[in-house]
Coordinates of all heavy atoms in Angstrom, one line a residue:
M151 N 0.8 -1.2 0.0 CA 0.0 0.0 0.0 C 0.9 1.3 0.0 O 1.8 1.4 0.8 CB -0.9 0.0 1.2 CG -2.0 0.9 1.2 SD -3.3 0.5 2.3 CE -4.1 2.0 2.5
R152 N 0.6 2.2 -0.9 CA 1.4 3.4 -1.0 C 0.9 4.4 0.0 O -0.2 4.3 0.5 CB 1.3 4.0 -2.4 CG 2.0 3.2 -3.5 CD 1.6 3.7 -4.9 NE 0.3 3.4 -5.2 CZ -0.6 4.1 -5.9 NH1 -0.2 5.3 -6.3 NH2 -1.7 3.7 -6.2
E153 N 1.7 5.4 0.3 CA 1.4 6.4 1.3 C 0.2 7.2 0.9 O -0.5 7.7 1.8 CB 2.6 7.3 1.4 CG 3.0 7.5 3.0 CD 4.3 8.2 3.1 OE1 4.3 9.3 3.1 OE2 5.4 7.4 3.1
T154 N 0.0 7.4 -0.4 CA -1.1 8.2 -0.8 C -2.4 7.5 -0.8 O -3.5 8.1 -1.0 CB -0.9 8.7 -2.3 OG1 -0.5 7.7 -3.1 CG2 0.2 9.8 -2.3
D155 N -2.4 6.2 -0.7 CA -3.6 5.4 -0.7 C -4.4 5.6 0.6 O -3.8 5.9 1.6 CB -3.3 3.9 -0.8 CG -2.9 3.5 -2.2 OD1 -3.1 4.3 -3.2 OD2 -2.4 2.3 -2.4
T156 N -5.6 5.5 0.5 CA -6.5 5.6 1.8 C -7.4 4.5 1.9 O -7.9 3.9 0.8 CB -7.2 7.0 1.8 OG1 -8.2 6.9 2.8 CG2 -7.9 7.3 0.5
L157 N -7.7 4.1 3.0 CA -8.7 3.1 3.2 C -10.1 3.6 3.1 O -11.1 2.9 3.0 CB -8.6 2.4 4.6 CG -7.3 1.6 4.7 CD1 -7.1 1.2 6.2 CD2 -7.3 0.4 3.8
L158 N -10.2 4.9 3.2 CA -11.5 5.6 3.2 C -11.8 6.3 1.9 O -12.1 7.5 1.8 CB -11.7 6.5 4.4 CG -11.6 5.9 5.7 CD1 -11.5 7.0 6.8 CD2 -12.9 5.0 6.0
K159 N -11.6 5.6 0.8 CA -11.8 6.3 -0.5 C -13.4 6.5 -0.7 O -14.1 5.6 -0.7 CB -11.3 5.3 -1.6 CG -10.1 5.8 -2.3 CD -9.7 4.9 -3.5 CE -8.2 5.1 -3.7 NZ -7.7 4.0 -4.5
P160 N -13.7 7.8 -0.9 CA -15.2 8.0 -1.2 C -15.5 7.5 -2.5 O -14.8 7.6 -3.5 CB -15.3 9.5 -1.1 CG -13.9 10.0 -1.4 CD -12.9 9.0 -0.9
K161 N -16.7 6.8 -2.6 CA -17.1 6.3 -3.9 C -17.4 7.4 -4.8 O -18.2 8.4 -4.5 CB -18.4 5.5 -3.6 CG -18.2 4.0 -3.8 CD -19.4 3.2 -3.9 CE -19.3 1.8 -3.2 NZ -20.5 1.4 -2.5
A162 N -16.8 7.4 -5.9 CA -17.1 8.5 -6.9 C -18.4 8.2 -7.6 O -18.7 7.2 -8.2 CB -16.0 8.5 -8.0
K163 N -19.3 9.1 -7.2 CA -20.7 9.0 -7.8 C -21.0 10.1 -8.7 O -21.1 11.3 -8.3 CB -21.7 9.1 -6.6 CG -22.9 8.2 -6.8 CD -23.8 8.4 -5.5 CE -24.8 7.3 -5.4 NZ -25.6 7.5 -4.2
T164 N -21.0 9.8 -10.0 CA -21.2 10.8 -11.0 C -22.7 11.2 -11.1 O -23.5 10.3 -11.2 CB -20.8 10.4 -12.4 OG1 -19.4 9.9 -12.2 CG2 -20.8 11.5 -13.4
Q165 N -23.0 12.4 -10.9 CA -24.4 12.9 -10.9 C -24.8 13.3 -12.4 O -24.2 14.3 -12.9 CB -24.7 14.0 -10.0 CG -24.6 13.7 -8.5 CD -25.8 12.9 -8.0 OE1 -26.8 12.7 -8.8 NE2 -25.8 12.5 -6.8
V166 N -25.7 12.6 -13.0 CA -26.1 13.0 -14.3 C -27.5 13.5 -14.3 O -28.4 12.7 -13.9 CB -26.0 11.8 -15.3 CG1 -26.4 12.2 -16.7 CG2 -24.6 11.2 -15.3
A167 N -27.6 14.8 -14.5 CA -29.0 15.4 -14.5 C -29.8 15.0 -15.6 O -29.4 15.1 -16.8 CB -28.9 16.9 -14.4
R168 N -30.9 14.3 -15.4 CA -31.9 13.9 -16.5 C -32.6 15.2 -16.9 O -33.2 15.8 -16.1 CB -32.8 12.9 -15.9 CG -33.2 11.8 -17.0 CD -34.3 10.9 -16.4 NE -33.8 10.0 -15.3 CZ -33.2 8.9 -15.5 NH1 -32.9 8.4 -16.7 NH2 -32.8 8.2 -14.4
P169 N -32.5 15.5 -18.2 CA -33.2 16.7 -18.7 C -34.7 16.6 -18.4 O -35.3 15.5 -18.6 CB -33.0 16.8 -20.2 CG -32.2 15.6 -20.5 CD -31.9 14.8 -19.4
R170 N -35.3 17.7 -17.9 CA -36.8 17.7 -17.6 C -37.6 17.5 -18.8 O -37.3 18.1 -19.9 CB -37.1 19.0 -16.8 CG -36.9 18.8 -15.4 CD -37.9 19.7 -14.6 NE -37.4 21.1 -14.7 CZ -38.1 22.1 -14.1 NH1 -39.1 21.8 -13.3 NH2 -37.6 23.3 -14.2
L171 N -38.7 16.8 -18.7 CA -39.6 16.7 -19.9 C -40.5 18.0 -19.8 O -40.7 18.5 -18.7 CB -40.5 15.4 -19.8 CG -39.7 14.2 -20.0 CD1 -40.6 12.9 -19.7 CD2 -39.1 14.1 -21.4
H172 N -41.0 18.3 -21.0 CA -41.9 19.5 -21.1 C -43.3 19.1 -21.6 O -43.4 18.3 -22.5 CB -41.3 20.6 -21.9 CG -40.2 21.3 -21.3 ND1 -39.1 20.7 -20.7 CD2 -40.1 22.6 -21.0 CE1 -38.3 21.6 -20.2 NE2 -38.9 22.8 -20.3
K173 N -44.3 19.6 -20.9 CA -45.7 19.3 -21.4 C -46.1 20.3 -22.5 O -45.7 21.4 -22.5 CB -46.7 19.6 -20.2 CG -46.5 18.8 -19.0 CD -47.5 19.1 -17.9 CE -47.0 20.2 -17.0 NZ -47.8 20.3 -15.8
V174 N -46.8 19.7 -23.5 CA -47.4 20.6 -24.5 C -48.9 20.7 -24.0 O -49.6 19.8 -23.8 CB -47.4 20.0 -25.9 CG1 -48.2 20.8 -26.9 CG2 -46.0 19.8 -26.3
I175 N -49.4 22.0 -23.9 CA -50.7 22.3 -23.5 C -51.6 22.9 -24.5 O -51.1 23.9 -25.1 CB -50.6 23.2 -22.2 CG1 -49.8 22.4 -21.1 CG2 -52.0 23.6 -21.7 CD1 -49.3 23.3 -20.0
L176 N -52.7 22.4 -24.7 CA -53.7 23.0 -25.6 C -54.6 23.9 -24.8 O -55.1 23.6 -23.8 CB -54.6 21.8 -26.2 CG -55.8 22.2 -27.0 CD1 -55.4 23.0 -28.2 CD2 -56.6 21.0 -27.4
V177 N -54.7 25.1 -25.3 CA -55.5 26.2 -24.7 C -56.8 26.4 -25.5 O -56.8 26.5 -26.7 CB -54.7 27.5 -24.6 CG1 -55.5 28.6 -23.9 CG2 -53.3 27.3 -24.0
N178 N -57.9 26.5 -24.8 CA -59.2 26.7 -25.4 C -59.4 28.1 -25.9 O -58.7 29.0 -25.4 CB -60.3 26.4 -24.4 CG -61.7 26.5 -25.0 OD1 -61.9 26.0 -26.2 ND2 -62.7 27.1 -24.4
D179 N -60.2 28.3 -26.9 CA -60.6 29.6 -27.4 C -62.0 29.5 -27.9 O -62.5 28.3 -28.0 CB -59.7 30.2 -28.5 CG -59.7 29.3 -29.8 OD1 -60.7 29.4 -30.5 OD2 -58.8 28.6 -30.1
D180 N -62.7 30.6 -28.2 CA -64.1 30.5 -28.7 C -64.3 30.4 -30.1 O -65.4 30.4 -30.7 CB -64.8 31.8 -28.2 CG -64.9 31.8 -26.6 OD1 -64.9 30.8 -26.1 OD2 -65.1 32.9 -26.1
F181 N -63.2 30.4 -30.9 CA -63.3 30.6 -32.4 C -62.9 29.3 -33.2 O -63.5 29.1 -34.3 CB -62.5 31.8 -32.9 CG -62.9 33.0 -32.1 CD1 -62.2 33.5 -31.1 CD2 -64.1 33.7 -32.5 CE1 -62.6 34.7 -30.4 CE2 -64.5 34.8 -31.8 CZ -63.7 35.3 -30.8
T182 N -61.8 28.6 -32.8 CA -61.3 27.5 -33.6 C -62.4 26.4 -33.6 O -62.8 26.0 -32.5 CB -60.0 27.0 -33.0 OG1 -59.1 28.1 -32.8 CG2 -59.3 26.0 -34.0
P183 N -62.8 25.9 -34.8 CA -63.7 24.8 -34.8 C -63.2 23.5 -34.2 O -62.0 23.2 -34.3 CB -63.9 24.6 -36.4 CG -63.5 25.9 -37.0 CD -62.4 26.4 -36.1
R184 N -64.0 22.8 -33.6 CA -63.6 21.6 -32.9 C -62.9 20.6 -33.8 O -61.9 20.0 -33.5 CB -64.8 20.9 -32.3 CG -65.5 21.7 -31.1 CD -66.7 20.9 -30.7 NE -67.4 21.6 -29.6 CZ -68.2 21.0 -28.8 NH1 -68.5 19.7 -28.9 NH2 -68.8 21.7 -27.8
E185 N -63.5 20.5 -35.0 CA -62.9 19.5 -36.0 C -61.5 19.9 -36.4 O -60.7 19.1 -36.6 CB -63.8 19.4 -37.2 CG -65.3 19.1 -37.0 CD -66.0 20.2 -36.3 OE1 -65.8 21.4 -36.6 OE2 -66.9 19.9 -35.5
F186 N -61.3 21.2 -36.4 CA -59.9 21.7 -36.8 C -58.9 21.4 -35.7 O -57.8 21.0 -36.0 CB -60.0 23.2 -37.1 CG -58.6 23.7 -37.7 CD1 -58.3 23.6 -39.0 CD2 -57.7 24.2 -36.8 CE1 -57.1 24.1 -39.5 CE2 -56.5 24.6 -37.2 CZ -56.2 24.6 -38.6
V187 N -59.3 21.6 -34.5 CA -58.4 21.3 -33.3 C -58.1 19.8 -33.4 O -56.9 19.4 -33.2 CB -59.1 21.6 -32.0 CG1 -58.2 21.3 -30.8 CG2 -59.5 23.1 -31.9
A188 N -59.1 18.9 -33.6 CA -58.8 17.5 -33.6 C -57.9 17.1 -34.8 O -57.0 16.3 -34.7 CB -60.1 16.7 -33.8
K189 N -58.1 17.8 -35.9 CA -57.3 17.6 -37.1 C -55.8 17.9 -36.8 O -54.9 17.1 -37.2 CB -57.7 18.4 -38.3 CG -57.1 18.0 -39.7 CD -57.8 18.7 -40.8 CE -57.2 20.0 -41.1 NZ -57.7 20.7 -42.3
V190 N -55.5 19.0 -36.1 CA -54.2 19.4 -35.8 C -53.6 18.4 -34.8 O -52.4 18.0 -34.9 CB -54.2 20.9 -35.3 CG1 -52.8 21.2 -34.7 CG2 -54.5 21.9 -36.4
L191 N -54.3 18.0 -33.8 CA -53.8 17.1 -32.9 C -53.4 15.7 -33.5 O -52.3 15.2 -33.2 CB -54.9 16.8 -31.8 CG -55.1 18.0 -30.8 CD1 -56.4 17.7 -30.0 CD2 -54.0 18.1 -29.9
K192 N -54.2 15.3 -34.4 CA -53.9 14.1 -35.2 C -52.6 14.2 -36.0 O -51.7 13.3 -36.0 CB -55.0 13.6 -36.0 CG -56.2 13.0 -35.2 CD -57.2 12.4 -36.2 CE -58.1 13.6 -36.6 NZ -59.2 13.1 -37.5
A193 N -52.5 15.4 -36.7 CA -51.4 15.6 -37.6 C -50.1 15.8 -36.9 O -49.1 15.2 -37.2 CB -51.7 16.7 -38.5
E194 N -50.1 16.7 -35.9 CA -48.9 17.1 -35.2 C -48.5 16.1 -34.1 O -47.3 16.0 -33.8 CB -49.0 18.5 -34.7 CG -47.7 19.1 -34.3 CD -46.6 19.1 -35.3 OE1 -46.9 19.4 -36.5 OE2 -45.5 18.7 -35.0
F195 N -49.5 15.6 -33.4 CA -49.2 14.8 -32.2 C -49.4 13.3 -32.4 O -49.3 12.5 -31.4 CB -49.9 15.3 -30.9 CG -49.5 16.7 -30.7 CD1 -50.2 17.8 -31.1 CD2 -48.3 17.0 -30.0 CE1 -49.8 19.1 -30.9 CE2 -47.9 18.4 -29.7 CZ -48.7 19.4 -30.2
R196 N -49.8 12.9 -33.6 CA -50.0 11.5 -34.0 C -51.0 10.8 -33.1 O -50.9 9.6 -32.7 CB -48.7 10.8 -33.9 CG -47.7 11.4 -34.8 CD -47.9 10.7 -36.2 NE -47.1 11.3 -37.3 CZ -47.6 11.2 -38.5 NH1 -48.7 10.6 -38.8 NH2 -46.8 11.7 -39.5
T197 N -52.0 11.6 -32.6 CA -53.1 10.9 -31.8 C -54.1 10.2 -32.7 O -54.2 10.5 -33.9 CB -53.8 12.0 -30.9 OG1 -54.7 12.7 -31.8 CG2 -52.9 12.8 -30.1
S198 N -54.8 9.3 -32.1 CA -56.0 8.7 -32.8 C -57.1 9.7 -32.8 O -57.1 10.7 -32.2 CB -56.4 7.4 -32.1 OG -57.0 7.8 -30.9
E199 N -58.2 9.4 -33.6 CA -59.4 10.2 -33.7 C -60.0 10.3 -32.3 O -60.3 11.4 -31.8 CB -60.3 9.5 -34.6 CG -61.7 10.3 -34.8 CD -61.5 11.5 -35.8 OE1 -60.9 11.3 -36.9 OE2 -62.0 12.6 -35.4
D200 N -60.1 9.2 -31.6 CA -60.7 9.2 -30.3 C -59.8 10.1 -29.2 O -60.4 10.8 -28.5 CB -60.7 7.8 -29.7 CG -61.9 7.1 -30.1 OD1 -62.7 7.5 -31.0 OD2 -62.2 6.0 -29.4
E201 N -58.5 9.9 -29.3 CA -57.7 10.7 -28.4 C -57.8 12.2 -28.7 O -57.9 13.0 -27.8 CB -56.2 10.3 -28.5 CG -55.9 8.9 -27.9 CD -54.5 8.4 -28.4 OE1 -54.0 8.8 -29.4 OE2 -54.0 7.5 -27.7
A202 N -57.8 12.5 -30.0 CA -57.9 13.9 -30.4 C -59.1 14.5 -29.9 O -59.1 15.6 -29.4 CB -57.8 14.0 -31.9
Y203 N -60.3 13.8 -30.0 CA -61.5 14.3 -29.6 C -61.5 14.5 -28.0 O -62.0 15.5 -27.5 CB -62.7 13.4 -29.9 CG -64.0 13.9 -29.5 CD1 -64.7 14.9 -30.3 CD2 -64.6 13.5 -28.3 CE1 -65.8 15.5 -29.9 CE2 -65.8 14.1 -27.9 CZ -66.4 15.1 -28.7 OH -67.6 15.7 -28.2
K204 N -61.0 13.6 -27.3 CA -60.9 13.7 -25.9 C -60.1 14.8 -25.4 O -60.5 15.6 -24.5 CB -60.4 12.4 -25.2 CG -61.4 11.2 -25.2 CD -60.8 10.0 -24.5 CE -61.6 8.8 -24.7 NZ -60.8 7.5 -24.5
I205 N -59.0 15.0 -26.0 CA -58.1 16.1 -25.6 C -58.8 17.5 -26.0 O -58.8 18.4 -25.2 CB -56.7 16.0 -26.4 CG1 -55.9 14.8 -25.9 CG2 -55.9 17.3 -26.2 CD1 -54.8 14.4 -26.8
M206 N -59.3 17.5 -27.2 CA -60.0 18.7 -27.6 C -61.2 19.1 -26.7 O -61.3 20.2 -26.2 CB -60.5 18.6 -29.0 CG -61.3 19.8 -29.6 SD -63.0 19.9 -29.0 CE -63.7 18.4 -29.8
I207 N -62.0 18.1 -26.3 CA -63.2 18.4 -25.5 C -62.8 18.7 -24.1 O -63.5 19.5 -23.4 CB -64.2 17.2 -25.6 CG1 -65.7 17.7 -25.4 CG2 -63.9 16.1 -24.6 CD1 -66.2 18.6 -26.4
T208 N -61.7 18.1 -23.6 CA -61.2 18.5 -22.2 C -60.7 19.9 -22.2 O -61.1 20.7 -21.3 CB -60.0 17.6 -21.8 OG1 -60.5 16.2 -21.8 CG2 -59.5 17.9 -20.4
A209 N -60.0 20.4 -23.2 CA -59.6 21.8 -23.3 C -60.8 22.7 -23.4 O -60.9 23.8 -22.7 CB -58.6 22.0 -24.5
H210 N -61.8 22.3 -24.2 CA -63.0 23.0 -24.4 C -63.7 23.3 -23.1 O -64.2 24.4 -22.8 CB -63.9 22.3 -25.4 CG -65.2 23.0 -25.7 ND1 -65.4 24.1 -26.4 CD2 -66.5 22.6 -25.2 CE1 -66.6 24.4 -26.4 NE2 -67.3 23.5 -25.7
R211 N -63.8 22.2 -22.3 CA -64.6 22.3 -21.0 C -63.8 22.9 -19.9 O -64.4 23.5 -19.0 CB -65.0 20.8 -20.6 CG -66.1 20.3 -21.5 CD -66.4 18.8 -21.1 NE -67.5 18.3 -21.9 CZ -67.6 17.0 -22.2 NH1 -66.8 16.1 -21.7 NH2 -68.6 16.6 -23.0
R212 N -62.5 22.5 -19.8 CA -61.7 23.0 -18.6 C -60.8 24.2 -18.9 O -60.2 24.7 -17.9 CB -60.9 21.8 -18.1 CG -61.8 20.6 -17.8 CD -61.0 19.4 -17.5 NE -60.3 19.4 -16.2 CZ -60.7 18.8 -15.1 NH1 -61.7 17.9 -15.2 NH2 -60.0 18.9 -14.0
G213 N -60.6 24.5 -20.2 CA -59.8 25.7 -20.5 C -58.4 25.3 -21.0 O -57.9 25.9 -21.9
V214 N -57.9 24.2 -20.5 CA -56.6 23.7 -21.0 C -56.6 22.1 -20.9 O -57.4 21.5 -20.2 CB -55.4 24.2 -20.2 CG1 -55.2 25.6 -20.4 CG2 -55.6 23.9 -18.7
C215 N -55.7 21.5 -21.7 CA -55.5 20.1 -21.6 C -54.0 19.8 -21.9 O -53.5 20.3 -23.0 CB -56.4 19.3 -22.5 SG -56.3 17.5 -22.3
V216 N -53.4 18.9 -21.2 CA -52.1 18.4 -21.6 C -52.2 17.4 -22.7 O -53.0 16.5 -22.6 CB -51.4 17.7 -20.4 CG1 -50.0 17.1 -20.8 CG2 -51.2 18.7 -19.2
V217 N -51.5 17.7 -23.8 CA -51.6 16.9 -25.0 C -50.6 15.8 -24.9 O -50.9 14.6 -25.2 CB -51.2 17.7 -26.2 CG1 -51.2 16.9 -27.5 CG2 -52.1 18.9 -26.4
A218 N -49.3 16.0 -24.5 CA -48.2 15.0 -24.4 C -47.0 15.6 -23.7 O -47.0 16.8 -23.5 CB -47.9 14.5 -25.8
V219 N -46.0 14.8 -23.4 CA -44.8 15.3 -22.9 C -43.6 14.9 -23.7 O -43.6 13.7 -24.2 CB -44.5 14.9 -21.3 CG1 -45.5 15.5 -20.5 CG2 -44.5 13.4 -21.2
Y220 N -42.6 15.7 -23.9 CA -41.4 15.5 -24.7 C -40.2 16.2 -24.1 O -40.4 17.0 -23.2 CB -41.7 16.1 -26.1 CG -42.9 15.6 -26.9 CD1 -44.0 16.4 -26.9 CD2 -42.8 14.5 -27.6 CE1 -45.1 16.0 -27.6 CE2 -44.0 14.0 -28.3 CZ -45.1 14.8 -28.3 OH -46.2 14.4 -29.1
A221 N -39.1 15.9 -24.7 CA -37.9 16.7 -24.4 C -38.2 18.1 -24.8 O -39.0 18.3 -25.7 CB -36.7 16.2 -25.2
R222 N -37.5 19.1 -24.1 CA -37.9 20.5 -24.3 C -38.0 21.0 -25.8 O -39.0 21.6 -26.2 CB -37.0 21.5 -23.5 CG -37.4 22.9 -23.7 CD -36.8 23.8 -22.7 NE -35.4 23.9 -22.9 CZ -34.6 25.0 -22.9 NH1 -35.3 26.1 -22.8 NH2 -33.4 25.0 -23.1
D223 N -36.9 20.7 -26.5 CA -36.9 21.2 -27.9 C -38.0 20.6 -28.8 O -38.6 21.3 -29.6 CB -35.5 21.0 -28.6 CG -35.1 19.6 -28.6 OD1 -35.5 18.8 -27.7 OD2 -34.3 19.2 -29.5
I224 N -38.3 19.3 -28.6 CA -39.4 18.7 -29.3 C -40.7 19.3 -28.9 O -41.6 19.6 -29.8 CB -39.4 17.1 -29.1 CG1 -38.0 16.6 -29.7 CG2 -40.6 16.5 -29.8 CD1 -37.8 15.1 -29.3
A225 N -41.0 19.4 -27.6 CA -42.2 20.1 -27.2 C -42.4 21.4 -27.8 O -43.5 21.8 -28.2 CB -42.2 20.1 -25.6
E226 N -41.3 22.3 -27.8 CA -41.5 23.6 -28.3 C -41.7 23.6 -29.8 O -42.5 24.4 -30.3 CB -40.2 24.4 -28.0 CG -40.2 24.8 -26.4 CD -38.9 25.4 -26.0 OE1 -37.9 25.5 -26.8 OE2 -38.8 25.9 -24.8
T227 N -41.0 22.8 -30.5 CA -41.2 22.7 -32.0 C -42.6 22.3 -32.3 O -43.2 22.8 -33.2 CB -40.2 21.7 -32.6 OG1 -38.9 22.2 -32.3 CG2 -40.4 21.6 -34.1
K228 N -43.2 21.2 -31.6 CA -44.5 20.8 -31.9 C -45.5 21.8 -31.5 O -46.5 22.0 -32.3 CB -44.7 19.5 -31.2 CG -44.1 18.3 -31.8 CD -44.4 16.9 -31.1 CE -43.8 15.8 -31.9 NZ -44.5 15.4 -33.1
A229 N -45.3 22.5 -30.4 CA -46.3 23.5 -30.0 C -46.3 24.7 -31.0 O -47.4 25.2 -31.4 CB -45.9 24.0 -28.6
T230 N -45.2 25.0 -31.5 CA -45.1 26.1 -32.5 C -45.7 25.7 -33.8 O -46.5 26.5 -34.4 CB -43.6 26.5 -32.7 OG1 -43.0 27.0 -31.5 CG2 -43.5 27.6 -33.8
R231 N -45.4 24.5 -34.3 CA -46.0 24.0 -35.5 C -47.5 23.9 -35.4 O -48.2 24.3 -36.4 CB -45.4 22.6 -35.9 CG -44.0 22.7 -36.4 CD -43.4 21.3 -36.6 NE -44.3 20.4 -37.3 CZ -44.2 20.0 -38.5 NH1 -43.1 20.4 -39.2 NH2 -45.1 19.2 -39.0
A232 N -48.0 23.5 -34.4 CA -49.5 23.3 -34.2 C -50.2 24.6 -34.1 O -51.2 24.9 -34.7 CB -49.8 22.4 -32.9
T233 N -49.5 25.6 -33.4 CA -50.1 26.9 -33.2 C -50.1 27.6 -34.6 O -51.0 28.3 -35.0 CB -49.3 27.8 -32.2 OG1 -49.4 27.2 -31.0 CG2 -49.8 29.2 -32.2
D234 N -49.0 27.4 -35.4 CA -48.9 28.0 -36.7 C -49.9 27.4 -37.7 O -50.3 28.2 -38.6 CB -47.4 27.8 -37.3 CG -46.4 28.7 -36.6 OD1 -46.8 29.6 -35.8 OD2 -45.2 28.5 -36.8
A235 N -50.2 26.2 -37.5 CA -51.2 25.5 -38.4 C -52.6 26.3 -38.2 O -53.3 26.6 -39.2 CB -51.4 24.1 -38.0
G236 N -52.9 26.6 -36.9 CA -54.1 27.4 -36.6 C -54.0 28.8 -37.2 O -55.0 29.3 -37.9
K237 N -52.9 29.5 -37.1 CA -52.7 30.8 -37.6 C -52.8 30.8 -39.1 O -53.5 31.7 -39.7 CB -51.3 31.3 -37.2 CG -51.1 32.8 -37.1 CD -49.8 33.2 -36.6 CE -49.5 32.9 -35.1 NZ -48.1 33.1 -34.7
A238 N -52.3 29.8 -39.8 CA -52.3 29.8 -41.2 C -53.8 29.6 -41.7 O -54.1 30.1 -42.8 CB -51.5 28.6 -41.8
A239 N -54.6 29.1 -40.9 CA -56.0 28.9 -41.3 C -56.9 30.0 -40.7 O -58.1 30.0 -40.9 CB -56.5 27.5 -40.8
G240 N -56.3 31.0 -40.0 CA -57.0 32.2 -39.5 C -57.6 32.0 -38.2 O -58.6 32.7 -37.8
Y241 N -57.1 31.0 -37.4 CA -57.7 30.7 -36.1 C -56.7 31.1 -35.0 O -55.5 31.0 -35.2 CB -58.1 29.2 -36.0 CG -59.1 28.8 -36.9 CD1 -58.9 27.7 -37.8 CD2 -60.3 29.5 -37.1 CE1 -59.8 27.3 -38.7 CE2 -61.3 29.0 -38.0 CZ -61.0 28.0 -38.8 OH -62.0 27.6 -39.7
P242 N -57.2 31.4 -33.8 CA -56.4 31.8 -32.7 C -55.9 30.6 -31.8 O -55.5 30.7 -30.6 CB -57.2 32.7 -31.8 CG -58.6 32.2 -32.0 CD -58.6 31.6 -33.4
L243 N -55.9 29.4 -32.4 CA -55.5 28.2 -31.7 C -54.1 28.3 -31.1 O -53.2 28.8 -31.7 CB -55.5 27.0 -32.8 CG -55.2 25.6 -32.2 CD1 -56.3 25.2 -31.2 CD2 -55.1 24.6 -33.4
L244 N -54.1 27.9 -29.8 CA -52.8 28.1 -29.1 C -52.4 26.9 -28.4 O -53.1 26.2 -27.6 CB -52.9 29.2 -28.1 CG -51.7 29.5 -27.2 CD1 -50.5 30.0 -28.1 CD2 -52.1 30.6 -26.2
F245 N -51.1 26.5 -28.6 CA -50.4 25.4 -27.8 C -49.2 26.1 -27.1 O -48.5 26.8 -27.7 CB -49.9 24.3 -28.7 CG -51.0 23.5 -29.4 CD1 -51.6 24.0 -30.5 CD2 -51.3 22.3 -28.9 CE1 -52.6 23.2 -31.2 CE2 -52.3 21.5 -29.5 CZ -52.9 22.0 -30.7
T246 N -49.1 25.8 -25.8 CA -48.0 26.3 -25.0 C -47.2 25.1 -24.4 O -47.6 24.0 -24.6 CB -48.4 27.2 -23.8 OG1 -49.3 26.4 -23.0 CG2 -49.3 28.4 -24.3
T247 N -46.0 25.4 -23.8 CA -45.3 24.4 -23.2 C -44.9 24.8 -21.7 O -44.8 26.0 -21.5 CB -43.9 24.1 -23.9 OG1 -43.1 25.2 -23.9 CG2 -44.2 23.6 -25.4
E248 N -44.7 23.8 -20.9 CA -44.2 24.1 -19.6 C -43.4 22.9 -19.0 O -43.8 21.7 -19.4 CB -45.2 24.6 -18.6 CG -46.3 23.6 -18.2 CD -47.2 24.1 -17.1 OE1 -47.9 25.2 -17.4 OE2 -47.3 23.5 -16.1
P249 N -42.4 23.1 -18.2 CA -41.6 22.0 -17.7 C -42.5 21.1 -16.7 O -43.3 21.7 -16.0 CB -40.4 22.6 -17.0 CG -40.8 24.0 -16.8 CD -41.8 24.4 -17.8
E250 N -42.2 19.9 -16.7 CA -42.8 19.0 -15.7 C -42.2 19.2 -14.4 O -41.0 19.5 -14.3 CB -42.7 17.5 -16.1 CG -43.9 17.1 -17.0 CD -43.9 15.5 -16.9 OE1 -42.8 14.9 -16.8 OE2 -45.0 15.0 -17.0
E251 N -42.9 19.0 -13.3 CA -42.3 19.2 -12.0 C -41.2 18.2 -11.7 O -41.3 17.1 -12.1 CB -43.4 19.0 -10.9 CG -44.6 19.8 -11.0 CD -45.6 19.4 -12.2 OE1 -45.7 18.2 -12.3 OE2 -46.0 20.2 -12.9
Ligands
TYC216 N1 -64.1 26.1 -28.0 C1 -64.0 25.8 -29.4 C2 -65.4 25.8 -30.0 O1 -66.4 25.8 -29.3 C3 -63.3 24.5 -29.7 C4 -61.9 24.4 -29.1 C5 -61.6 23.4 -28.3 C6 -61.0 25.4 -29.5 C7 -60.3 23.3 -27.8 C8 -59.8 25.3 -28.9 O2 -58.1 24.2 -27.6 C9 -59.4 24.3 -28.1 N2 -65.5 25.9 -31.3

């Protein structure tokens, strides 16, 4: 055993921070047609017809609905693309993102 050795070597524990997931949130409005909201959900978030309807009607009734969770850049890209699809059709449809707790 060398002089520099120690019997009390602390275990090297590398801390790797797992990047937080981000929620994509659908926000209700009074103008975008229900069918259009469902169409965007299917196209951008790959939901089924049933899932799209449930998400849309939840946002319609409660004001907001979590659509899905992704890594931050994916969540932001999808929210922007979905919001832009509404804008291109003249609707105020809005998708936002927020980090998961
Ligand atoms: N509230 C809209 C309507 O009655 C439908 C709608 C649902 C719009 C959900 C946006 O996120 C939304 N036509």
